[in-house]
Structures are given as structure tokens and as C-alpha cells.
Amino acid sequence: MLRYLIRVEGGRSLSLLLLGALAGWLLGSVRLGALFGLTLILFIHLYHAGQLLAWLQAPKKRELPDGVGIWRDIFQLSLDRHKQARKRKKRLGAIVREFRASTTALPDAAVVLDRSGCIVWYNQAAVSLLALRGQPDIGLRINNLLRHPDFHSYFGQSDAQDRGVEIPAPSDSESTLWIRVIPYGDGQRLLIARDVTELKRLEVSRRDFVANASHELRTPLTVLRGYLDMMGEESSEAGQLSSWKNPIEEMRRQSARMQRIIADLLRLANLESGSGFADSTVLDMPALIGAALEEAEHLSGGQHRIESEVDDSLQLQGEQADLHSVVSNLLSNALRYTPPGGQIRLRWQRDGGQALLSVQDTGIGIAARDIPRLTERFYRADVARSRETGGTGLGLAIVKHALERHEAVLTIHSQPGRGSEFICRFPAHRMSDNSRVAVAG
């Protein structure tokens, strides 16, 4: 089509040039006639180009002429493209209006940030939840408006932005916001803030109930355990309760299991009630791991092959009780689900700028559908085996909360019949080195 129009316009221009030359020949000057024809051609093109430029600058105020030659097609094509652009603009405008209406109705605050962390746009909920002031805050850095230390620490760590952070609401210190920053596009980020005050109150109520109930149950259970121990002595072959030996032993086992459950519940409640992240005290991780390995050897009773690979110079900043719970629970969990003769391997080393704690076993493995729920309270992938081995169903929940307090991430790899691996990755800013050499257990 374009080549055809060019050929037609070329023929028309050539005709004008020949007419000008013919008129010049009749008047006695072919060159002057040809020059006049070229000038006429140039004038026609400049006139139409000027008309198009004027229309492009103000399409609503001007109308395009019909045009001559190729300009007729150019004008028609320009009008068609302009109409299509107006239709697209109307559709986009409707989409934008619908988007703004829907985001205005959202109870969660939404803030669009550029690559520098400056505010580009936000919805109405951000005004009430984040105390933004409207147009004056557009273009300001979000760090200058949300000054809580936990948010500053979270916003500056790209590897932590998948988890979110909880801070007091700027507009009301009694309220709690959960904030997450989601990267998208070319360096842009979307900040989502949600009011979780009621959820936090429910969590506190539930946690207090569990802690109080566990405390109240501990005393009568201790009394019962004491009497059962006394009855156990009398249930020997020479005792008066020898015929009750098996029932009494079963009651003692179950009471001991109840005591372990209560202890784990109290431990979990303490972890959940802890404020913010764990302390930054430098811990002797090789020694801590060595102690946990000795406990695991005792629990195994020589039925498993336990190996370890420990970086003696790698220390960690955190709380000793929390990290001991992590290591001991992972090891006891591996022992519980690994048949006699199986292998358990613990690693503590650097990995890609992070500190890695890994416990791998050759046990029965876990089905893929069960892995996402393993850290829930009382969830067991194999209920019968867990009860048989005395598991409480709280060990991995304790591990999860202890790791969250240390800004660490738990990853689980497992296949039925091929064993499992539990990997804990600690951020680089919690790593610490020393020159002391420790011996792995």
C-alpha cells in the first residue's frame, strides 16, 4: 500500500514538473518553468505539512482539510489513529477510575514506591492507617514518614521483605500494623499495610490462656506424678500392688508425656510473647551444638549413626535458650522418625553469605502435602509413630518461632522413604567469627 501511494505521488509530482517545463517552453524558458513546477510541488507539501502540524497541536480546535494526493491518505490515517487513541484513552481512564474506586474501598493501605523509596501514589486507607497527609507527601521517602526502627531495619533488607514486619500504627500507638513491601516492575515497590490489632489481641488472649492453663495443670500433675512414682515402687514383684504393675507403668508414661507437653506449651508461649527480635549476644554455637549432639547420642542409645560437620569459628548472635531449642528439637525429631541403624547428619557452616544449620536423616520421610503444615501446633505427619515415640507435636512449632526471633528461615526437603532435611538459614548480620577452635561432637 505504501509503495503504491509513493508511486502515485511520484507520478503526480512528475506531471506537475513536466507541466511547468512545458509552460516554460511555451514562454521561452524551460528551466524557469521547471523551477516553477518544483516550487509548486514544494509549496503543496509544506502547506499540507503545516496543516497537519497545526492539527496535531490542537486536534480539538482544528479540522484537517481533505488534502491532495498522498496527503489525503496521511490525513485520513492520522484521523483514524487519533480516534483509536481516544478510544484507548477512554478505556484506560475507565480502568484507572475503577482501580482507584476499588483501592479506595480496600481496608488495607496500598502505597506505590519508586526505586528510591519515594511515594508515587497511595489509596485512602493509607491516610488513616499510615497518617499520610495527601498531596504534600507525594515524592517523600517512606522512611522519613514511617520512622519505627523495626520498619527501617525491614525496609533495608531485601531478603526479609517476603515476611513483612509489625509496627505500631503512626496514627494510633495502641494499634498494630502488619506491613509488607512487594517488589515489582522496574525497581518499583508496593507497600501493603494491614490493621492486625484485633488479631494480635486474640493471639495474646489465646497465648495467655495456654500459659495460664499450663501453669495451673503443672501443680496437680506433679502431685499425681509423685503418687504414681510411689505406687510404682509398690508395684514391684514383692509389693502390694504387683498386680497393677502394667497399668501403673502406663500411667507413669502418660503423665511424663503430659509434663513434656506442658513444658513445650510454656516454652512456645514464652517464645510467642517475646517482643521483637532476639538479643544480639554472641553465642558459642559450636559448644551449644556439641551439647545438643551429646543429648542426641544419649537419646539414641547407640541405635543411630550421628555425624556432624561444624565450622568452629562461626558464631551467632542470639539467645542461647532459643537456639538450643532449635538444635535439640531438630535432632530429637530426626531420631524419632529414623529407624535404628539410620544416619543423622548435622551441619553448621557458611553458605552464600549466610549461616546454615542443617539436620539431615535417612528416616521414613514426609509426604509433600504434609510439609507446609509441619510447623503447626500438634500437627503430626505420622500420628501413630509420634505417639509411640512420645512426641508432643510442638517441637517444630517451637523451632519456627525461635527462628523467627532470630530472623531466620526454615526450609524442609523430604521424600517418603528417603529421609528429610531441615535447613535453617540465618542472616549475615547475625554471624560472628572468633579464633577459638572447638571440637564438633
Side-chain angles (χ1 to χ4, degrees):
M1 182 64 179
L2 179 61
R3 292 181 179 178
Y4 170 76
L5 292 175
I6 292 175
R7 286 199 301 269
V8 171
E9 184 62 26
R12 185 178 290 109
S13 298
L14 182 60
S15 298
L16 288 175
L17 182 62
L18 291 176
L19 287 175
L22 179 60
W25 178 72
L26 294 174
L27 295 174
S29 177
V30 176
R31 291 184 179 181
L32 186 61
L35 180 60
F36 177 78
L38 287 175
T39 303
L40 181 60
I41 294 170
L42 180 61
F43 174 77
I44 292 173
H45 285 297
L46 288 177
Y47 170 78
H48 285 88
Q51 291 293 315
L52 178 61
L53 180 60
W55 178 80
L56 290 173
Q57 291 175 343
K60 294 182 179 181
K61 296 181 180 181
R62 293 178 176 272
E63 292 185 2
L64 280 174
D66 291 337
V68 176
I70 195 173
W71 285 101
R72 180 183 296 108
D73 298 283
I74 292 174
F75 289 167
Q76 187 60 48
L77 182 60
S78 299
L79 284 170
D80 293 341
R81 294 290 175 86
H82 178 65
K83 291 178 181 178
Q84 293 174 4
R86 290 184 64 183
K87 290 181 180 179
R88 284 196 299 269
K89 185 177 180 180
K90 288 181 179 180
R91 288 197 298 269
L92 290 174
I95 293 172
V96 170
R97 286 192 298 272
E98 185 67 23
F99 171 76
R100 289 183 175 178
S102 61
T103 53
T104 300
L106 284 175
D108 299 341
V111 182
V112 176
L113 308 172
D114 62 16
R115 61 172 60 250
S116 301
C118 296
I119 298 175
V120 177
W121 174 89
Y122 56 84
N123 66 350
Q124 185 62 33
V127 176
S128 57
L129 293 180
L130 301 176
L132 300 182
R133 301 171 300 167
Q135 190 63 33
D137 286 340
I138 298 294
L140 297 181
R141 289 180 60 85
I142 193 66
N143 279 347
N144 295 334
L145 301 175
L146 301 180
R147 294 181 174 274
H148 195 277
D150 290 347
F151 176 76
H152 278 242
S153 176
Y154 163 76
F155 193 73
Q157 299 174 24
S158 58
D159 59 343
Q161 292 184 359
D162 290 338
R163 299 197 300 270
V165 65
E166 290 182 359
I167 64 170
S171 57
D172 181 9
S173 60
E174 298 297 324
S175 300
T176 303
L177 297 181
W178 178 81
I179 297 178
R180 183 181 177 187
V181 178
I182 305 169
Y184 77 97
D186 186 15
Q188 292 180 296
R189 285 173 283 184
L190 176 65
L191 183 147
I192 301 294
R194 178 176 301 167
D195 188 343
V196 294
T197 305
E198 288 302 319
L199 289 176
K200 296 296 292 183
R201 288 174 182 168
L202 289 174
E203 287 183 5
V204 171
S205 299
R206 175 190 54 77
R207 185 171 61 242
D208 291 345
F209 170 77
V210 171
N212 292 334
S214 300
H215 277 295
E216 293 299 324
L217 287 172
R218 174 180 283 182
T219 300
L221 188 58
T222 302
V223 174
L224 288 174
R225 183 71 187 274
Y227 280 112
L228 286 172
D229 289 341
M230 293 173 57
M231 295 171 66
E233 296 176 0
E234 294 294 328
S235 65
S236 60
E237 294 183 0
Q240 299 179 358
L241 301 175
S242 58
S243 61
W244 288 78
K245 179 178 180 180
N246 291 336
I248 290 174
E249 287 299 320
E250 180 62 22
M251 286 188 287
R252 291 178 68 185
R253 283 195 297 269
Q254 294 301 325
S255 63
R257 182 166 175 263
M258 288 181 66
Q259 284 186 321
R260 290 195 297 271
I261 292 175
I262 289 174
D264 283 350
L265 283 172
L266 289 172
R267 179 64 183 153
L268 188 57
N270 289 333
L271 284 171
E272 291 178 332
S273 62
S275 58
F277 296 132
D279 294 337
S280 56
T281 304
V282 178
L283 302 177
D284 189 347
M285 281 298 291
L288 185 149
I289 291 172
L293 286 169
E294 289 181 4
E295 296 174 4
E297 292 281 4
H298 176 73
L299 289 174
S300 172
Q303 298 184 70
H304 304 86
R305 187 168 72 256
I306 301 177
E307 301 177 353
S308 64
E309 181 181 343
V310 179
D311 187 338
D312 300 328
S313 65
L314 179 57
Q315 312 301 315
L316 198 69
Q317 299 177 15
E319 296 184 6
Q320 182 166 349
D322 291 353
L323 294 174
H324 184 270
S325 293
V326 170
V327 180
S328 61
N329 274 299
L330 291 178
L331 285 172
S332 63
N333 196 64
L335 290 170
R336 188 174 297 115
Y337 292 98
T338 302
Q343 178 182 353
I344 297 170
R345 181 176 179 81
L346 181 146
R347 290 185 297 146
W348 170 248
Q349 59 191 26
R350 294 171 178 82
D351 181 66
Q354 297 178 319
L356 180 143
L357 173 67
S358 167
V359 176
Q360 186 176 12
D361 62 60
T362 58
I364 61 175
I366 307 164
R369 65 177 182 274
D370 294 318
I371 291 178
R373 301 189 60 190
L374 287 180
T375 56
E376 296 179 9
R377 299 172 186 82
F378 298 110
Y379 184 83
R380 299 180 178 93
D382 189 337
V383 178
R385 185 177 184 87
S386 180
R387 288 176 177 172
E388 178 185 344
T389 56
T392 65
L394 294 170
L396 290 179
I398 292 174
V399 169
K400 172 190 172 183
H401 284 85
L403 290 177
E404 286 178 351
R405 282 176 45 76
H406 289 78
E407 305 164 87
V409 177
L410 174 65
T411 306
I412 304 173
H413 301 294
S414 183
Q415 290 185 6
R418 296 188 177 183
S420 307
E421 182 177 16
F422 293 78
I423 302 173
C424 311
R425 296 185 183 276
F426 297 85
H429 66 270
R430 283 194 172 270
M431 296 168 57
S432 180
D433 294 324
N434 71 357
S435 58
R436 186 183 57 81
V437 178
V439 179

